[in-house]
Amino acid sequence: MFDNGLSGPVPESLGGLAHLRELSLRDNQLTGELPASLGNLTALEQLWLRGNTGLSGALPLSLVNLTNLRTLDLRDTGLCAPRDSSFQEWLDGVDSQRGVFTCPAS
């Protein structure tokens, strides 16, 4: 689903879609932080979030469970990768990363 006027936070309930392989929420008006439940999407291969300028904060550490993820697109969001070493190691294994930057030190 992209460019269809979705607004508000990303629903926790998306984490229940265990067999989902691609999640495209790009170019909407989503806001807030990503729910940790997205780490339950262990079959996910592509995650497209670009163009949601209201999304912000650190990506949930639970995303390290997405061992099949090959594409992560965060362009035009306020999302960032935590400085956690295991998260950074996982992120290095994602083939295609767009708009991914490390969170500033606090």
Side-chain angles (χ1 to χ4, degrees):
M1 297 181 281
F2 65 92
D3 197 18
N4 57 11
L6 291 177
S7 62
V10 175
E12 282 276 340
S13 59
L14 285 179
L17 303 173
H19 300 290
L20 194 66
R21 294 179 65 192
E22 180 177 337
L23 180 56
S24 180
L25 297 172
R26 67 180 202 198
D27 299 320
N28 284 290
Q29 291 84 45
L30 297 171
T31 59
E33 297 183 354
L34 292 183
S37 65
L38 293 184
N40 298 334
L41 303 177
T42 55
L44 200 64
E45 297 174 2
Q46 298 183 45
L47 179 56
W48 303 85
L49 297 169
R50 82 173 191 212
N52 287 286
T53 57
L55 288 176
S56 62
L59 296 170
L61 294 175
S62 62
L63 293 188
V64 300
N65 296 326
L66 306 183
T67 56
N68 294 310
L69 196 68
R70 298 292 163 247
T71 301
L72 178 60
D73 190 348
L74 304 179
R75 289 178 288 178
D76 300 319
T77 72
L79 297 168
C80 59
R83 293 180 171 271
D84 179 81
S85 60
S86 61
F87 191 92
Q88 290 292 324
E89 184 177 326
W90 166 80
L91 191 57
D92 288 343
V94 176
D95 295 335
S96 177
Q97 304 173 34
R98 297 180 190 116
V100 179
F101 65 92
T102 302
C103 297
S106 50

